[in-house]
């Protein structure tokens, strides 16, 4: 967006216009000539194609063919695929096997079912038997599979930057153990991330018991709540700067609970109101029925005013008119829903505000957390601040850094750890911290080692490996066991933690859940001291949040997540300094302008991105980028915002010369001239009925007849469906430069629309796969009959017929087809080739591709039905996007059955066709979003 009079004119037009007007970006709102020119083409400009380098492709797919040069490995890599000479017992060619396991994020286990083919993991799905997920997942969990096959993972131990072997490591560990036994552990420090494995914590407790002078420290860069919330039981939710259904370890659990409450409201059972106050738009905020854009330092005043309005505490800070109206509405809703409400505040806010929230909750009799505090038994670790001080004073003689990277995120850590004589790092990658240590020990991925964890519902989960490690690595449990001189294996350690007999152990492995929950700690009582409301800030304010796609940087080496457009900005492959439209106008800033953002003595430089809905004087930056080590995918992308995380002082923004390109997909594949997202006022309302469009062809009648329904009232734009589609269908990544030219290959996109003023717009998400039209324009336009129609209503793409004319894409009004401009798959690393789903054809250069309704899953169901001499069940086929969706916004099935889930969804009165005037009769339809969460 440019700071020009054209924006002011557009704002004036919005204020005086009638009816709805959706816009995707500020560029579109201003309606600049160059934007019109971009939309005039099917794809953005192709300039710069001559600068394409093969190295960029390899970078986005995971790096060079490093696996070929392994030294000292105990076994050959699995990528040398050879047929069985003797078929292993229990293995059937072409038959998938499924294992209940879990992946861990920030100390919380995400229960999954791992699908393997010929001993190769190829897909992760949520565990339908586990109440923490009910079969759903989030984007991070879906992308964990690619982390297993990451070509940039460490492949063997290293000493002083040179390759070594585990024999030398064991010798070093034995010497360290002897010294620790002699002095009781004096000078030893263990640094980990947030620990969610009871077995790992038990090992650390055993270590501290053996060496009482040793210390365990923990670095958790992203604050999080101690336990998840009971959103399914809350008819009114008040969230103060707390992205409760946004990305994070509890997203699946929270989104599932909120969607359950929302579906109850749709069915006439109670209300589902969400009030959010926040400084920058989040998934939770844009889903709210009433959102207030407020500075982070106004949360104290808002919670005090809310408490006063409810009669819980006396006194309140003065509010402006908009804040006062929001507090009145929130307080009235809470009072009307006593015992069925919920109030929450962000984990990074002061303890006094959390105490006030607990007092309000107690006064209203609202339900408590879903599972108490997710704490494992044993000693609580100290923080990293104490460790840094001890290292600076020379009190630390040996340190083991286990699966965490403080050198990237903690200012001054590199200087402090340099004073430690013996430094050992154990992790998946040779990252910034590994570079500061004499020893680097490669750790096994969570999907190739035994472990355990605690899920969001508080139950235990056994993490069983899907494949034997093919690299010269050891598990995190083996690293600690080696330090302790314990020769027990991981499986034995985990089983001993839970004291399960044979039948209990087998049930835990089959179900993926241990019924006996781990002990949890109740939340501390709320003190009755008065809430201390800090001074209201003046001038600019900076907030630092984890990146919605790569979190705190731990997923920076994952191309699936790097190329995933962020839910609200649609930025991929990079970071930006996000400012409000008002601030951009006042400072003369436009998208991609370079600025220096300073807080006190700390500063970062990066490009600007104007974010509608952000509080006027708030500036947002994300963690996770700016990596200098950890793999070629992670390195050199964006800037490191960690120095600003705890910085204090005056906030300054200085405009620099030049610009920096940002890869954003918000203009790509834009549809034209329709009321894309439709609304009804409240539950029970229906869209006006419209007569069916006339057609030369009658309605297609077959059984089965596949169709899809997407409820926009449930969609939260979390992107789980997008990554699930990538994993299921071998969708290639193209890199930043090609994304900027509109050449991303995602089969499913999630459009984000605005309505209203840029300073406080209403947001809406809309997933857009192929519509599978009954009267498909692409089929009429293809000159070689590569796009055809099946008897059961699928719009198919015959890859070996396609000659790349792109006529079908030009004819498609939904812009859902993707063209392979380059050979994005042939030169991929062997590990990436091993990850691909063998049930889906791998496409090459010059081929058009798009969503197939997961035809491979339909075919598998057809085969199983034939085996049983029966019809395919009406809800038997579940697409990858449907399976991943935590809110069940996507439903797929046989629309020839009136009682199928998809038919019932389409019959709810809110159903509509996208671009109905095109008369394509799509099999994919949408359900209108409900504006309110009550009957008012």
């Amino acid at each position: 967006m440019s700071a020009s009079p054209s924006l002011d004119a557009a704002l004036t037009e919005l204020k005086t216009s009638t009816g709805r007007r959706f816009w995707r970006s500020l560029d579109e709102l201003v309606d600049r000539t160059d934007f019109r020119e971009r939309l005039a083409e099917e794809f953005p400009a192709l300039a710069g194609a001559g600068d394409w380098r093969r190295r960029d492709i390899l970078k986005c797919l995971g790096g060079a063919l490093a696996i070929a040069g392994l030294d000292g490995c105990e076994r050959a890599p699995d990528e040398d695929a050879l047929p069985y000479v003797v078929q292993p017992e229990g293995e059937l060619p072409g038959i998938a096997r499924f294992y209940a396991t879990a992946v861990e994020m920030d100390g919380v286990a995400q229960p999954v079912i791992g699908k393997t083919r010929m001993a190769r993991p190829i897909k992760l799905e949520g565990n339908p038997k586990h109440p923490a997920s009910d079969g759903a997942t989030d984007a991070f969990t879906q992308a964990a599979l690619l982390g297993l096959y990451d070509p940039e993972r460490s492949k063997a131990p290293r000493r002083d930057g040179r390759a070594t072997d585990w024999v030398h490591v064991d010798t070093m560990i034995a010497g360290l153990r002897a010294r620790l036994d002699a002095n009781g552990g004096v000078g030893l420090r263990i640094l980990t991330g947030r620990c969610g494995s009871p077995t790992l914590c038990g090992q650390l407790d055993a270590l501290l018991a053996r060496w009482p002078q040793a210390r365990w420290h923990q670095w958790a860069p992203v604050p999080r709540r101690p336990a998840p919330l009971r959103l399914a039981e809350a008819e009114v939710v008040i969230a103060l700067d707390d992205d409760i259904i946004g990305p994070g370890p509890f997203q699946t659990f929270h989104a599932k609970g909120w969607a359950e409450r929302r579906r109850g409201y749709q069915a006439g059972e109670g209300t589902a109101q969400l009030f959010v106050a926040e400084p920058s738009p989040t998934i939770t905020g844009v889903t709210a029925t009433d959102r207030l854009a407020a500075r982070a330092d106004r949360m104290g005043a808002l919670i005090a005013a809310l408490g006063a309005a409810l009669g819980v505490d006396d006194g309140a800070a003065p509010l402006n008119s908009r804040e006062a109206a929001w507090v009145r509405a929130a307080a009235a809703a809470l009072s009307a829903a006593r015992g069925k409400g919920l109030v929450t505040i962000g984990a990074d806010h002061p303890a006094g505000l959390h105490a006030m929230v607990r007092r309000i909750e107690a006064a209203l009799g609202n339900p408590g957390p879903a599972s108490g505090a997710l704490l494992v038994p044993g000693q609580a670790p100290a923080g990293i601040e104490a460790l840094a001080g001890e290292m600076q004073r020379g009190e630390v003689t040996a340190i083991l850094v286990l699966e965490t990277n403080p050198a990237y995120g903690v200012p001054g850590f590199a200087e402090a750890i340099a004073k430690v004589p013996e430094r050992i790092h154990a992790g998946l990658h040779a990252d910034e911290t590994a570079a500061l240590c004499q020893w680097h020990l490669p750790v096994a991925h969570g999907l190739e080692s035994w472990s355990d964890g605690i899920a969001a519902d508080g139950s235990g989960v056994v993490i069983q490996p899907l494949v034997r490690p093919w690299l010269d690595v050891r598990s995190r449990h083996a690293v600690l066991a080696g330090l302790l001189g314990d020769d027990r294996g991981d499986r034995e350690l985990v089983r001993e933690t839970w004291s399960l007999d044979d039948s209990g152990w087998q049930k835990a492995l089959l179900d993926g859940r241990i019924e006996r929950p781990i002990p949890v700690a109740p939340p501390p009582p709320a003190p009755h001291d008065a809430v201390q409301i800090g001074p209201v800030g003046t001038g600019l304010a900076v907030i630092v949040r984890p990146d919605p796609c790569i979190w705190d940087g731990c997923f920076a080496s994952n191309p699936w997540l790097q190329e995933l457009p962020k839910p609200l900005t649609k930025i991929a492959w990079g970071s930006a300094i996000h400012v409000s439209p008002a601030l951009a106008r006042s400072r003369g800033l436009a998208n991609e302008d370079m600025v220096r953002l300073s807080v006190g003595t700390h500063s970062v430089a990066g490009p600007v991105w104007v974010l509608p809905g952000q509080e006027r004087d708030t500036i947002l930056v994300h963690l996770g980028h700016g990596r200098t080590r950890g793999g070629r995918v992670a390195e050199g992308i964006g800037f490191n915002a960690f120095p600003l995380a705890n910085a204090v002082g005056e906030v300054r923004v200085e405009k620099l010369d030049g610009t920096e390109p940002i890869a954003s997909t918000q203009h790509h594949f834009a549809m034209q001239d329709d009321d894309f997202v439709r609304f009804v006022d409240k539950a029970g309302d229906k869209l006006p009925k419209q007569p069916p469009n006339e057609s030369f062809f009658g309605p297609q009648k077959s059984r089965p007849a596949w169709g899809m329904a997407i409820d926009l009232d449930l969609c939260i734009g979390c992107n789980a469906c997008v990554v699930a589609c990538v994993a299921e269908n071998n969708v290639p990544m193209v890199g930043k430069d090609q994304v900027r030219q509109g050449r991303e290959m995602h089969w499913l996109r999630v459009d984000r629309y605005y309505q209203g003023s840029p300073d406080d717009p209403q947001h809406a998400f809309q997933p857009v796969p192929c519509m599978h039209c009954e009267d498909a324009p692409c089929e009429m336009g293809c000159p070689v009959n590569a796009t055809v129609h099946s008897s059961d209503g699928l719009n198919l793409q015959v890859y070996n017929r396609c000659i790349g004319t792109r006529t079908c894409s030009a004819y498609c009004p939904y812009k859902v087809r993707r063209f392979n401009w380059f050979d994005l798959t042939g030169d991929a690393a062997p590990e990436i080739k091993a990850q691909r789903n063998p049930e889906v054809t791998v496409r090459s250069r010059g081929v058009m591709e798009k969503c197939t309704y997961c035809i491979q899953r339909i075919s598998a169901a057809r085969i199983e039905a034939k085996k049983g001499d029966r019809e395919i069940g009406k809800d038997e086929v579940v697409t990858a996007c449907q399976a991943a969706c935590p809110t069940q916004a996507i439903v797929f099935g046989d629309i020839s059955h009136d009682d199928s889930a998809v038919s019932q969804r389409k019959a709810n009165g809110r159903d509509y066709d996208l671009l109905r005037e095109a008369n394509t009769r799509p099999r994919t339809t949408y359900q209108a979003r409900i504006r309110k969460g009550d009957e008012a």
Side-chain angles (χ1 to χ4, degrees):
M1 188 211 72
S2 299
S4 65
S6 56
L7 177 57
D8 295 330
L11 296 179
T12 303
E13 179 185 348
L14 274 179
K15 293 177 181 179
T16 58
S17 63
T18 58
R20 297 198 189 103
R21 179 181 176 187
F22 289 102
W23 44 281
R24 294 161 61 99
S25 69
L26 296 175
D27 284 345
E28 181 176 348
L29 182 60
V30 176
D31 201 15
R32 296 189 327 202
T33 301
D34 59 338
F35 179 75
R36 276 294 182 185
E37 292 174 352
R38 290 199 301 271
L39 284 185
E41 302 183 16
E42 176 187 358
F43 297 100
L46 305 182
D51 295 333
W52 178 262
R53 293 174 298 172
R54 178 173 173 271
R55 178 177 175 275
D56 295 326
I57 285 287
L58 295 178
K59 180 178 179 181
C60 73
L61 288 178
L65 307 179
I67 193 71
L70 278 177
D71 292 322
C73 289
E74 298 176 359
R75 59 185 72 88
D78 280 357
E79 290 74 45
D80 295 332
L82 297 173
Y84 289 134
V85 177
V86 178
Q87 181 175 304
E89 183 179 356
E91 191 73 53
L92 297 177
I95 303 300
R97 306 188 72 174
F98 300 87
Y99 300 88
T101 183
V103 296
E104 186 178 297
M105 180 184 180
D106 203 17
V108 180
Q110 313 292 324
V112 298
I113 299 294
K115 180 181 179 180
T116 67
R117 275 290 187 91
M118 310 296 278
R120 281 194 301 112
I122 60 172
K123 187 68 171 65
L124 298 179
E125 303 281 13
N127 187 344
K129 292 185 178 181
H130 204 293
S133 66
D134 288 338
T137 54
D138 59 16
F140 300 111
T141 303
Q142 286 290 330
L145 179 68
L146 189 62
L148 172 66
Y149 293 95
D150 184 1
E152 297 294 328
R153 282 176 55 193
S154 295
K155 298 169 178 61
R158 301 186 71 82
R159 180 183 181 182
D160 296 326
R162 296 184 297 273
T164 184
D165 55 39
W166 286 103
V167 174
H168 289 86
V169 172
D170 291 338
T171 301
M172 177 270 296
I173 292 292
L176 175 60
R177 182 169 59 248
R179 294 194 300 273
L180 295 173
D181 283 337
N183 63 18
V186 172
L188 174 65
R189 299 295 183 269
I190 309 292
L191 177 62
T192 70
R194 189 173 273 121
C195 182
S197 165
T199 296
L200 187 67
C201 291
Q203 289 181 286
L204 290 166
D205 288 341
L207 184 149
L208 297 177
R210 179 170 175 173
W211 301 312
Q213 300 303 313
R215 297 290 181 269
W216 170 27
H217 296 264
Q218 189 178 85
W219 182 53
V222 179
R224 70 161 171 82
R225 66 180 64 260
L229 305 169
R230 299 180 184 270
L231 294 178
E233 303 173 18
E235 296 188 3
V236 176
V237 178
I238 314 296
L240 297 131
D241 196 13
D242 193 3
D243 190 12
I244 54 178
I245 59 176
F250 295 132
Q251 181 176 44
T252 299
F253 187 82
H254 281 165
K256 179 176 70 75
W258 176 247
E260 183 179 340
R261 173 85 298 275
R262 196 70 185 177
R263 286 193 299 272
Y265 164 64
Q266 291 177 4
E269 302 170 2
T271 67
Q273 300 180 77
L274 177 58
F275 295 83
V276 176
E278 59 184 7
S280 184
T282 63
I283 285 180
T284 305
V286 302
T287 306
T289 49
D290 191 345
R291 177 184 180 268
L292 171 68
R295 289 172 61 113
D297 54 19
R298 293 295 293 164
M299 297 303 127
L302 292 172
I303 194 65
L306 185 64
L310 294 169
V312 177
D313 277 344
D314 296 330
L319 306 176
N320 61 39
S321 58
R322 177 68 181 98
E323 293 172 337
W326 184 88
V327 168
R328 285 195 302 270
L334 280 175
S335 296
R338 287 181 178 270
K340 297 180 181 181
L342 190 151
V343 183
T344 177
I345 192 168
D348 55 346
H349 284 276
L353 300 186
H354 287 268
M356 179 61 190
V357 166
R358 293 198 296 273
R359 290 204 296 274
I360 293 176
E361 291 280 86
L364 296 175
N366 292 336
S371 57
L374 296 186
L375 301 175
V376 292
Q379 301 185 33
I384 198 170
E385 296 82 5
L387 172 63
E390 293 169 354
M391 291 191 298
Q392 288 283 7
R393 294 190 296 271
E395 300 172 8
V396 183
T397 58
I399 184 171
L400 170 61
V401 182
L402 181 61
E403 293 190 308
T404 190
N405 186 19
Y408 161 62
V410 180
F413 183 86
E415 293 78 7
I417 197 174
K419 298 183 178 182
V420 180
E422 196 161 6
R423 305 181 296 276
I424 308 168
H425 174 268
L428 284 173
H429 296 91
D431 55 25
E432 291 86 347
T433 303
L436 303 175
C437 298
Q438 297 106 329
W439 294 87
H440 169 62
L441 314 183
V443 170
H445 191 274
L447 294 176
E448 58 183 3
S449 58
W450 289 93
S451 189
D452 56 2
I454 304 174
D457 68 335
S459 65
V461 180
V462 174
I463 300 176
Q464 58 178 323
L466 301 182
V467 65
R468 187 182 70 173
W470 58 80
L471 302 175
D472 196 15
V473 297
R474 289 182 180 176
S475 72
R476 56 184 180 176
H477 299 298
V479 171
L480 286 183
L483 182 58
L484 288 165
D486 188 347
D487 59 359
R488 290 175 297 173
D490 299 346
R491 188 175 186 272
E492 186 178 356
L493 289 168
V494 171
R495 184 165 178 177
E496 184 176 300
T497 297
W498 297 94
S499 303
L500 296 172
D501 58 19
D502 289 344
S503 62
W505 177 252
Q506 292 298 320
K507 181 175 176 56
L509 295 183
L510 292 173
D511 295 345
R513 183 172 188 251
I514 302 175
E515 295 292 341
R516 174 169 52 86
I518 202 75
V520 296
H528 289 278
D529 299 336
V531 176
Q532 298 296 319
I533 304 173
V536 178
T538 57
L540 301 178
V542 171
I543 57 174
V544 183
R545 299 288 188 262
D547 189 275
C549 293
I550 63 169
W551 200 237
D552 58 6
C554 59
F555 300 109
S557 63
N558 194 308
W560 288 357
L561 295 176
Q562 284 280 14
E563 196 154 309
L564 183 66
K566 304 183 199 321
L568 292 168
T569 64
K570 297 304 172 184
I571 293 175
W573 291 104
S575 53
I577 296 173
H578 302 83
V579 301
S580 68
L583 184 61
R585 291 194 298 268
S586 65
R587 299 295 181 98
L589 300 175
N591 283 342
E592 301 183 344
D593 283 349
M594 285 294 294
V595 300
R596 185 180 309 280
L597 174 62
S598 303
V599 181
T601 59
H602 298 277
S603 65
V604 298
V608 163
W609 193 258
V610 182
L611 184 56
Q614 186 150 299
E615 195 276 329
R616 176 185 177 90
D617 295 323
T618 295
I619 301 174
L620 166 69
V621 290
H622 286 129
L623 303 174
H625 290 286
R627 298 289 302 275
T628 58
R629 290 180 180 266
R632 276 168 281 188
V633 171
E635 295 169 14
I637 299 174
F639 57 84
N640 184 359
F642 267 106
L644 303 184
N646 296 307
V648 294
E650 180 187 3
V651 177
R652 303 179 303 279
V653 177
E654 175 189 359
K655 188 173 181 180
L656 305 177
D657 294 334
T659 61
E660 180 178 308
I662 294 177
S664 174
T665 65
Q666 68 179 6
H667 296 318
H668 300 174
F669 312 112
M671 300 175 291
Q672 293 292 300
D673 302 326
D674 190 50
D675 196 0
F676 305 114
V677 180
R678 301 188 185 182
F679 295 87
V680 295
D681 287 334
K682 59 182 182 298
D685 287 356
K686 299 181 179 180
L687 291 173
K689 285 188 176 182
Q690 294 181 309
N693 288 333
E694 297 297 332
S695 174
F696 287 112
F697 308 98
Q700 185 174 348
K701 296 180 180 180
S702 64
R703 177 165 292 190
W706 303 112
M708 180 176 284
I710 303 176
D711 192 342
L712 301 183
D713 193 56
L714 298 178
C715 178
I716 59 173
C718 67
N719 278 328
C721 56
V722 178
V723 185
C725 179
V726 168
E728 174 73 18
N729 295 295
N730 302 328
V731 176
M733 301 295 100
V734 301
K736 180 177 180 178
D737 291 343
Q738 294 302 299
V739 170
R740 291 193 66 245
Q741 297 186 60
R743 293 173 174 173
E744 65 271 16
M745 296 299 296
H746 290 126
W747 288 7
L748 168 65
R749 71 178 190 266
V750 181
D751 288 340
R752 182 264 299 116
Y753 291 104
Y754 301 113
Q755 183 184 359
S757 166
D759 295 314
D760 189 17
Q762 184 175 14
H763 299 68
F765 296 110
Q766 185 173 53
V768 185
C770 176
M771 299 291 110
H772 289 272
C773 310
E774 292 191 24
D775 294 342
C778 57
E779 297 171 13
M780 294 179 274
C782 181
V784 294
N785 204 32
T787 175
V788 297
H789 215 76
S790 71
S791 60
D792 50 4
L794 298 184
N795 177 246
L796 305 179
Q797 188 74 16
V798 184
Y799 298 130
N800 60 356
R801 288 184 191 168
C802 182
I803 61 173
T805 64
R806 294 177 287 140
T807 310
C808 59
S809 181
Y811 279 32
C812 176
Y814 306 101
K815 300 305 173 189
V816 292
R817 292 175 166 265
R818 305 291 176 261
F819 182 67
N820 282 275
W821 290 93
F822 299 94
D823 186 1
L824 302 169
T825 57
D827 291 335
E831 299 92 333
I832 301 301
K833 293 180 180 179
Q835 174 273 319
R836 291 173 182 155
N837 184 357
E839 301 170 359
V840 178
T841 302
V842 177
R843 289 78 59 191
S844 186
R845 180 181 181 181
V847 171
M848 188 69 71
E849 58 187 71
K850 53 92 187 179
C851 161
T852 65
Y853 272 169
C854 288
I855 189 173
Q856 66 277 5
R857 297 191 176 200
I858 296 174
S859 297
R862 183 183 299 114
I863 292 171
E864 291 301 314
K866 284 184 177 180
K867 288 180 181 179
D869 193 22
R870 60 175 176 83
E871 289 186 350
I872 303 177
K874 57 182 181 293
D875 297 317
E876 183 176 351
V877 180
V878 178
T879 61
C881 56
Q882 176 188 3
C885 182
T887 64
Q888 298 180 25
I890 302 174
V891 174
F892 177 80
D894 186 353
I895 61 175
S896 68
H897 292 271
D898 291 338
D899 59 344
S900 66
V902 64
S903 294
Q904 292 177 348
R905 175 75 69 82
K906 289 174 179 284
N908 68 8
R910 293 185 288 116
D911 190 72
Y912 70 95
D913 298 345
L914 191 62
L915 295 177
R916 187 175 185 274
E917 65 275 13
N919 200 23
T920 60
R921 297 191 293 170
R923 286 288 181 90
T924 298
T925 59
Y926 295 88
Q927 288 72 54
R929 183 171 173 178
I930 304 172
R931 291 184 183 275
K932 299 180 181 296
D934 56 15
E935 298 302 325

